């Protein structure tokens, strides 16, 4: 892939991403959102984080076909800590600590 093609793809994706977000925010403007939409948007961040992490855990082995034990263990610990503490940062920290320990121990 040439440098020009790479930058064309990067800039095109950036412009497309901006237009997609601006189309929603531009339509809303300063108008108040309905309560049912605000209630649903409150859970957006909670839904996005697992959606970003799940493929990294589920397809993390060398062949990309299944989970790697260390990442699966870290994800399970993060879920358990999150359910117990209801704290996102504690959950992320626990998962990161377990994954770091696993990598340090197993190599």
């Amino acid at each position: 892939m040439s440098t020009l093609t790479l930058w064309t793809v990067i800039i095109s994706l950036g412009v497309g991403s901006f237009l997609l977000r601006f189309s929603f925010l531009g339509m809303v403007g300063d108008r108040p959102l309905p309560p049912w939409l605000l209630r649903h948007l409150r859970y957006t961040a909670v839904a996005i984080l697992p959606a970003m992490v799940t493929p990294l855990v589920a397809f993390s082995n060398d062949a990309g076909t299944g989970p790697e034990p260390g990442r699966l263990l870290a994800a399970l610990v993060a879920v358990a800590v999150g359910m117990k503490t209801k704290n996102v940062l504690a959950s992320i920290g626990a998962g990161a600590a377990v994954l770091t320990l696993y990598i340090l121990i197993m190599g």
Side-chain angles (χ1 to χ4, degrees), residues 83-102:
M83 290 176 66
K84 179 74 174 173
T85 64
K86 309 285 187 210
N87 186 332
V88 174
L89 293 178
S91 177
I92 292 172
V98 168
L99 183 60
T100 301
L101 284 174
Y102 182 84

Side-chain angles (χ1 to χ4, degrees), residues 24-25 28 31-48:
F24 176 73
L25 297 174
V28 172
R31 288 176 267 171
L33 295 174
W36 64 267
L37 183 58
L38 289 174
R39 189 172 57 245
H40 287 84
L41 287 175
R42 191 174 347 155
Y43 300 109
T44 302
V46 176
I48 287 175

Side-chain angles (χ1 to χ4, degrees), residues 22-83:
F22 183 76
S23 66
F24 176 73
L25 297 174
M27 286 189 318
V28 172
D30 290 337
R31 288 176 267 171
L33 295 174
W36 64 267
L37 183 58
L38 289 174
R39 189 172 57 245
H40 287 84
L41 287 175
R42 191 174 347 155
Y43 300 109
T44 302
V46 176
I48 287 175
L49 194 56
M52 290 172 49
V53 171
T54 300
L56 296 174
V57 172
F59 307 109
S60 57
N61 66 3
D62 290 338
T65 57
E68 178 184 318
R71 290 179 188 244
L72 185 60
L73 178 65
L76 292 175
V77 168
V79 168
V81 169
M83 290 176 66

